[in-house]
């Protein structure tokens, strides 16, 4: 059994794969026994060809090719479930996760840690907007979730065999990996690093995808947004009742005519808005339950090489 399986999801990364490979060979070669588990996530460019050429030459390069693009979370799951090493290290192919940190991860593993994650101490390569929204997401998530995720921890981490098997065994389709990694627990420790810029190619995320990713993360970690409305409803009903008493009192004691249109409009609009938000939140959960109920596999494998 090799010491480290490198789990590398790749999507349209033809120019990054060789660069990544050379870097890993330089840093880990001769120091560790390791294997690559590249997961080709339905790339449309020559990524698979590049991977196949590598796998032909080097037996420790293993490739899983998925039947289409399933997204990074599914690709990482596929890699973890096929990995054969004593530990698994999840990392991006774009070298934003420094390969140089892996020996430090391994050292922590030797000390008994089974969930060793990289912590971005510096996100200066991100735009202000991305940093701000990311910060906000972590705040909200950690307020709501039962199992907080550390600020600025990415997917970049080392997992012991039993920790990675535990992650793979979680059956959900909506796989917010950071949440799953923290859910399985085991002895965890952070290793800080500063995140570099992408070496080549460009990020596959746009803001709409990030928003949905964040929603997925939150809805899979907590049902609090669903339950909140019971209390909001009780509170509002109480206010309405008090207000009704107040109106009756005004009418009976002072004989005031009941004043009208504007306040009714505001109330109707306010409550319609509130109800739509509530319905929307229920919809968010319902759509995810729908996906889970269908019980489709999170990914399909087209081809495995060097296994
Ligand atoms: N990736 C993937 N499937 C996707 C999108 C991305 O396997 O649908 C891979 C990608 O090739 C890279 C990693 O996930 O190795 C991180 O992607 P990216 O650099 O675009 O994300 P960012 O660093 O901007 O968060
Ligand atoms: Mg990247």
């Amino acid at each position: 059994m090799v010491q480290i399986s490198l789990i590398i999801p790749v999507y349209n990364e033809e120019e990054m794969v060789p660069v990544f490979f050379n870097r890993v060979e330089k840093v880990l070669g001769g120091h560790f026994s390791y294997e690559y588990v590249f997961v080709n996530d339905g790339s449309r460019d020559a990524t698979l060809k590049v991977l196949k050429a590598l796998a032909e030459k080097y037996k420790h390069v293993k490739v899983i090719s998925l039947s289409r693009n399933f997204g990074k979370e599914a690709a990482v799951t596929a890699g973890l479930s096929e990995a054969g090493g004593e530990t698994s290290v999840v990392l991006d192919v774009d070298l934003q996760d420094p390969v140089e940190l892996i020996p430090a991860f391994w050292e922590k593993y030797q000390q008994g840690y089974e969930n060793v994650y990289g912590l971005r101490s510096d996100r200066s390569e991100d735009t202000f907007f991305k940093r701000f929204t990311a910060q906000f997401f972590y705040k909200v998530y950690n307020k709501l979730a039962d199992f907080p995720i550390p600020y600025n921890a990415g997917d970049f981490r080392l997992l012991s065999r039993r920790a990675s098997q535990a992650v793979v065994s979680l059956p959900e389709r909506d796989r917010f990996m950071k949440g799953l990694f923290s859910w399985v627990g085991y002895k965890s420790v952070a290793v800080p690093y500063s995140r570099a810029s992408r070496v080549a190619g460009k990020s596959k995320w746009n803001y709409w995808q990030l928003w949905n990713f964040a929603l997925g993360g939150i809805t899979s970690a907590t049902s609090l947004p669903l339950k909140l409305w019971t209390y909001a409803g009780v509170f509002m009903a109480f206010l309405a009742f008090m207000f009704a008493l107040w109106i009756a009192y005004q009418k009976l004691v002072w004989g005031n005519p009941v004043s009208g249109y504007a306040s009714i409009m505001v109330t109707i609009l306010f409550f319609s808005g509130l109800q739509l938000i509530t319905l929307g939140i229920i919809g968010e959960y319902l759509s995810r339950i729908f996906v889970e109920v269908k019980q489709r596999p999170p990914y399909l494998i087209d081809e495995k090489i060097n296994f």
Side-chain angles (χ1 to χ4, degrees):
M1 196 190 262
V2 293
Q3 291 172 313
I4 301 174
S5 294
L6 300 167
I7 312 299
I8 315 118
V10 285
Y11 176 51
N12 296 344
E13 305 275 11
E14 54 183 8
E15 74 252 83
M16 269 322 301
V17 169
V19 183
F20 173 84
F21 178 80
N22 288 335
R23 172 77 76 88
V24 173
E25 289 301 303
K26 208 150 83 206
V27 176
L28 299 186
H31 302 291
F32 294 96
S33 64
Y34 59 95
E35 63 176 10
Y36 297 80
V37 180
F38 284 104
V39 185
N40 173 39
D41 187 18
S43 301
R44 283 167 225 277
D45 63 0
T47 302
L48 186 58
K49 239 172 74 190
V50 175
L51 288 175
K52 278 183 171 166
L54 263 185
E56 185 106 351
K57 248 168 97 186
Y58 304 97
K59 287 300 152 221
H60 65 311
V61 174
K62 301 181 175 183
V63 180
I64 304 167
S65 193
L66 304 184
S67 65
R68 63 169 170 84
N69 180 253
F70 283 92
K72 182 183 170 185
E73 315 291 302
V76 169
T77 307
L80 287 175
S81 94
E82 303 290 330
E86 187 184 338
T87 65
S88 290
V89 172
V90 179
L91 76 173
D92 291 354
V93 76
D94 57 13
L95 293 176
Q96 285 193 289
D97 305 328
V99 179
E100 291 74 11
L101 217 62
I102 293 176
F105 281 8
W106 180 259
E107 202 165 299
K108 290 284 181 202
Y109 173 68
Q110 292 301 319
Q111 293 166 11
Y113 293 99
E114 300 195 41
N115 200 335
V116 185
Y117 54 92
L119 202 66
R120 289 172 242 179
S121 52
D122 158 34
R123 292 184 70 132
S124 52
E125 95 292 351
D126 280 337
T127 61
F128 171 77
F129 187 66
K130 187 155 180 187
R131 264 180 294 166
F132 178 78
T133 47
Q135 192 87 357
F136 183 69
F137 168 73
Y138 283 109
K139 272 233 168 70
V140 173
Y141 185 95
N142 286 337
K143 274 258 148 46
L144 297 177
D146 302 331
F147 305 91
I149 49 179
Y151 266 91
N152 290 335
D155 290 336
F156 181 35
R157 68 182 64 220
L158 176 145
L159 295 169
S160 69
R161 183 139 195 99
R162 64 174 182 168
S164 68
Q165 292 314 102
V167 169
V168 169
S169 74
L170 299 177
E172 54 246 72
R173 274 92 200 136
D174 210 332
R175 302 189 71 81
F176 181 64
M177 291 311 262
K178 276 186 271 233
L180 302 188
F181 289 146
S182 81
W183 186 88
V184 301
Y186 294 116
K187 223 173 148 200
S188 310
V189 68
V191 178
Y193 73 100
S194 80
R195 194 163 161 88
S197 301
R198 217 176 210 289
V199 169
K202 60 180 198 301
S203 174
K204 313 277 178 300
W205 294 91
N206 62 40
Y207 275 105
W208 180 242
Q209 288 167 320
L210 281 174
W211 164 247
N212 280 305
F213 186 60
L215 277 185
I218 288 173
T219 50
S220 70
T222 173
S223 55
L224 194 67
L226 279 174
K227 298 176 186 157
L228 207 65
W229 303 100
T230 313
Y231 302 99
V234 169
F235 180 66
M236 291 297 175
F238 176 73
L239 280 188
F241 182 69
M242 298 311 280
F243 190 53
L245 286 183
W246 171 240
I247 289 173
Y249 179 81
Q250 274 186 320
K251 177 78 187 158
L252 293 175
V253 178
W254 295 314
N256 281 354
V258 179
S259 67
Y261 175 76
S263 56
I264 291 176
M265 258 334 258
V266 169
T267 317
I268 289 178
L269 288 178
F270 176 72
F271 284 101
S272 314
L274 213 60
Q275 283 168 0
L276 284 178
I277 293 171
T278 321
L279 275 179
I281 289 176
I282 295 173
E284 287 293 336
Y285 280 91
L286 190 63
S287 68
R288 288 181 168 85
I289 294 170
F290 182 55
V291 170
E292 299 295 337
V293 165
K294 281 194 282 194
Q295 298 255 333
R296 293 189 184 164
Y299 58 84
L300 287 177
I301 295 177
D302 176 34
E303 213 180 333
K304 291 205 278 188
I305 302 160
N306 280 349
F307 278 91

